[in-house]
Amino acid sequence: ILWDAVSAIGVAIFVYYKSSKNLIAFLESGKFIFILYIVLNLFTVFFFPNGIAEGRIGQVVWFLGNKNTILPYILLTEAFIIAVSYEKFSKIKKTTYFELAIVALTAIFFDSSTAVLLMLVNIIGILGAFLIKEHNIKKLMNGKLLLVVLVVAFLFIIFMSQNSFITEYIVEFLGKDITFNGRTAIWAEALAYIRSSPLFGAGASIIFMQGLWESSMTHAHDLFLDIAAKYGLITLVIFVYCIVLVFKTGFYKTKERRLQMEVPPILLWTFMIYLIGCIVE
């Protein structure tokens, strides 16, 4: 069901865009499709709490997959909401912030501590952007600053999680253990793969046997470590460089050397939330 859903989204948006040659129509159709999928997913959660199928390691599956796949769909929905508002009105309307908050709140129904925590942070950013003036948003949510936040989050979670009372407090609050439910063991195995073949990686077919799940894992539960372990540090550097380029598009210089917005700050904020989620998923 999950892969069929992804295919359906791509085909529907592509065909509609090609037939209309209209960017606004493309964005609005994408927004409609993603909101519809979120609603259908909520429907299955409410009426089929035990899921409509069962996935790997015993997780129940709803319309959009299991709890670990909900976060990207929520953030993609928000991205379309933001893009429609910005393209139609050249700003983020007040009603847009309300839509974003409602979509983010849907995460609480999916029993994923990662999604809930990130969506709470996301809502804080959305409310902050709603309350402060536009020029202050550009200062608080500029690409360089958000990129620094992402790097700090990565270093904290991966390298500073052990023997840290702050981390212990956070994971206890979430009802988790200090190993992030066995993730630190998987990360250690990923680092071992990286040391064994640092430049080009150990290959896409490697598995990770560690963790509390007692099951072979096809990914390192960290996007960055997974890329480095499978495809090498060269590929990881290229990937990180692409991320940096995205954040750099937050501002550009005109002929008058004044900084102007090219991407809505709240969109970069949404992207940063997604990348932080990729540190543990």
Side-chain angles (χ1 to χ4, degrees):
I1 292 176
L2 175 63
W3 295 115
D4 287 345
V6 173
S7 301
I9 290 170
V11 171
I13 293 176
F14 179 78
V15 171
Y16 197 97
Y17 178 52
K18 286 297 183 181
S19 64
S20 64
K21 301 290 185 180
N22 187 316
L23 177 61
I24 298 297
F26 161 67
L27 294 173
E28 288 184 329
S29 63
K31 173 183 172 180
F32 172 78
I33 290 169
F34 274 92
I35 289 178
L36 177 63
Y37 272 58
I38 292 293
V39 171
L40 288 174
N41 202 50
L42 281 172
F43 176 86
T44 58
V45 170
F46 289 140
F47 291 94
F48 303 94
N50 296 321
I52 54 179
E54 188 172 287
R56 186 167 51 85
I57 64 174
Q59 288 190 351
V60 296
V61 174
W62 300 294
F63 183 73
L64 291 178
N66 59 41
K67 65 179 185 178
N68 291 334
T69 60
I70 301 303
L71 186 61
Y73 280 107
I74 292 175
L75 291 171
L76 282 168
T77 305
E78 291 192 342
F80 270 99
I81 292 172
I82 294 166
V84 168
S85 179
Y86 201 70
E87 288 295 329
K88 290 182 70 173
F89 309 106
S90 298
K91 66 177 182 179
I92 308 300
K93 298 186 69 176
K94 290 184 177 180
T95 54
T96 305
Y97 290 113
F98 178 75
E99 291 180 71
L100 294 173
I102 292 297
V103 171
L105 281 173
T106 62
I108 66 176
F109 298 106
F110 302 120
D111 190 32
S112 171
S113 55
T114 302
V116 171
L117 180 61
L118 288 176
M119 285 301 98
L120 287 176
V121 175
N122 195 20
I123 290 173
I124 291 172
I126 292 169
L127 292 176
F130 175 77
L131 294 173
I132 63 180
K133 295 181 179 179
E134 183 70 19
H135 67 277
N136 289 326
I137 296 176
K138 298 174 184 178
K139 294 177 182 178
L140 293 173
M141 292 186 177
N142 72 75
K144 291 181 180 179
L145 179 59
L146 293 180
L147 187 60
V148 170
V149 172
L150 175 63
V151 172
V152 170
F154 178 84
L155 293 175
F156 174 76
I157 293 174
I158 299 295
F159 299 109
M160 302 179 188
S161 60
Q162 298 302 305
N163 301 318
S164 168
F165 75 93
I166 298 177
T167 309
E168 288 180 5
Y169 175 80
I170 293 173
V171 295
E172 285 178 7
F173 174 77
L174 295 173
K176 304 295 181 181
D177 63 280
I178 196 64
T179 68
F180 292 98
N181 277 11
R183 282 171 172 80
T184 52
I186 298 176
W187 296 342
E189 190 166 351
L191 289 171
Y193 276 123
I194 295 170
R195 285 192 294 268
S196 67
S197 184
L199 294 182
F200 301 105
S205 61
I206 60 175
I207 58 174
F208 306 89
M209 296 298 295
Q210 302 297 325
L212 299 180
W213 301 289
E214 296 181 354
S215 174
S216 59
M217 307 297 293
T218 57
H219 56 89
H221 264 279
D222 176 285
L223 178 64
F224 306 95
L225 291 180
D226 194 70
I227 290 175
K230 292 178 179 178
Y231 311 109
L233 293 175
I234 294 176
T235 306
L236 179 64
V237 169
I238 295 172
F239 177 67
V240 171
Y241 178 67
C242 291
I243 292 175
V244 173
L245 288 180
V246 172
F247 280 104
K248 285 181 66 176
T249 61
F251 289 88
Y252 71 98
K253 288 186 177 180
T254 63
K255 293 181 179 179
E256 293 80 18
R257 309 297 291 175
R258 290 179 299 179
L259 292 178
Q260 303 249 349
M261 286 305 302
E262 187 179 16
V263 175
I266 194 70
L267 191 56
L268 291 177
W269 170 264
T270 302
F271 184 47
M272 184 199 69
I273 293 292
Y274 169 72
L275 290 173
I276 291 177
C278 287
I279 298 173
V280 294
E281 296 291 358

